Amino acid sequence: MKTFYVASSFRNIVNVRYVAQTLESKGYVNTYDWTQNAWARDAGTVTLGDLRSIGQHERNAVIGADVVVILLPGGKGTHVELGIAIAQGRRTILHSPDEVINNLQTTSTFYHLPELEKCNGTLDDLVAMIVGREGTVAAV
């Protein structure tokens, strides 16, 4: 069983769900679906206690994942999750639909660490990159 975590911003929620559902259809297990918190954020009902709990879930999900996917553009939390993934030695794939990763005006030094894998292209290209390296995972 291979596990994954998809980090991104709320503005990428549709893409996060697409990648997660596609990987799950291939037998991968999502360590945490942070998109389930969107309703509380949208309703303005998130408390500091909620944020603490969500942060703990997200940290544990990154640590428990075999592969961490970073979908750009990301927010503050995305970049914290990227740091946790790097520090934990997780396979980490940085995805951008364009060449923003290599734009000197907007890139991050951490995007260019040798342990990160980069994927510029479609979400299907990203999934193929994940599954291609791991091979087909048996459905749970």
Side-chain angles (χ1 to χ4, degrees):
M1 169 177 60
K2 291 292 182 180
T3 58
F4 72 92
Y5 179 76
V6 182
S8 193
S9 65
F10 277 103
R11 65 183 168 236
N12 265 344
I13 203 164
V14 171
N15 291 340
V16 170
R17 288 178 174 158
Y18 177 82
V19 170
Q21 291 167 356
T22 304
L23 288 173
E24 288 168 347
S25 76
K26 297 181 180 305
Y28 285 73
V29 175
N30 193 348
T31 55
Y32 182 65
D33 178 8
W34 60 266
T35 69
Q36 67 186 342
N37 302 312
W39 67 269
R41 177 184 175 265
D42 293 343
T45 60
V46 176
T47 66
L48 293 177
D50 294 335
L51 292 177
R52 180 176 33 262
S53 176
I54 291 166
Q56 290 168 333
H57 285 296
E58 290 176 348
R59 177 199 59 214
N60 294 341
V62 171
I63 292 169
D66 295 313
V67 61
V68 176
V69 179
I70 307 293
L71 295 183
L72 296 178
K76 296 176 293 194
T78 306
H79 289 87
V80 171
E81 291 160 337
L82 172 63
I84 294 168
I86 292 168
Q88 292 291 314
R90 295 295 173 259
R91 178 181 181 205
T92 305
I93 302 173
L94 189 64
H95 174 269
S96 174
D98 52 32
E99 289 289 327
V100 72
I101 294 170
N102 296 318
N103 181 333
L104 289 174
Q105 302 303 312
T106 58
T107 195
S108 166
T109 56
F110 294 100
Y111 293 176
H112 303 283
L113 292 175
E115 57 267 39
L116 292 184
E117 298 174 48
K118 298 177 192 174
C119 179
N120 293 310
T122 69
L123 296 176
D124 290 328
D125 292 336
L126 170 65
V127 170
M129 182 179 184
I130 296 166
V131 174
R133 177 166 156 194
E134 302 295 337
T136 305
V137 178
V140 178

